[in-house]
């Protein structure tokens, strides 16, 4: 018996994989990803296969294996911008004191 399904269709039909994602910068996140995303063949966020860069590590819930994961240039830049914005110092007003004028 032969199947009309391609390996890509079989892969796409698999359920998402829960991971703990540890980005290069920023806090850990829990995500659901495809096998392609887990194996660093697609962006961790959008699934594109273009302009991919190392984005950190993912740890699977079953077995606790560590995987190097990637993100596209746009999502990698967005993630770094969010981390930088969160790290910006917040100006606090000086407490009221004596007026020395």
């Amino acid at each position: 018996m032969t199947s009309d399904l391609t390996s890509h269709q079989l892969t796409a039909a698999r359920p998402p994989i829960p991971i703990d994602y540890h980005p290069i910068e920023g806090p850990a996140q829990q995500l659901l990803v495809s096998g392609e995303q887990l194996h660093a063949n697609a962006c961790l966020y959008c699934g594109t296969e273009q302009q991919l860069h190392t984005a950190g590590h993912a740890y699977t819930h079953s077995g606790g294996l560590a995987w190097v994961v990637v993100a596209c240039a746009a999502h990698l830049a967005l993630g770094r911008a969010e981390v930088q914005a969160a790290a910006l110092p917040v100006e606090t007003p000086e407490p009221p004191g004596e007026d020395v004028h």
Side-chain angles (χ1 to χ4, degrees):
M1 175 166 44
T2 61
S3 173
D4 291 336
L5 295 175
T6 65
S7 63
H8 177 71
Q9 289 169 319
L10 290 171
T11 303
R14 291 185 181 156
I17 303 160
I19 62 166
D20 292 323
Y21 168 50
H22 294 263
I24 294 172
E25 298 176 5
Q29 304 167 28
Q30 291 187 343
L31 300 173
L32 292 174
V33 299
S34 70
E36 292 296 310
Q37 290 167 311
L38 183 62
H39 290 96
N41 294 322
C43 174
L44 196 58
Y45 295 101
C46 67
T48 187
E49 298 175 0
Q50 305 296 317
Q51 298 181 358
L52 300 175
H53 304 279
T54 301
H57 290 86
Y59 297 88
T60 59
H61 292 184
S62 60
L65 297 175
W67 303 83
V68 173
V69 291
V70 295
C72 66
H75 280 111
L76 193 60
L78 179 62
R80 288 188 177 152
E82 288 175 358
V83 169
Q84 289 173 351
L88 291 176
V90 177
E91 290 186 30
T92 56
E94 293 184 25
E98 294 181 25
D99 192 14
V100 190
H101 291 113

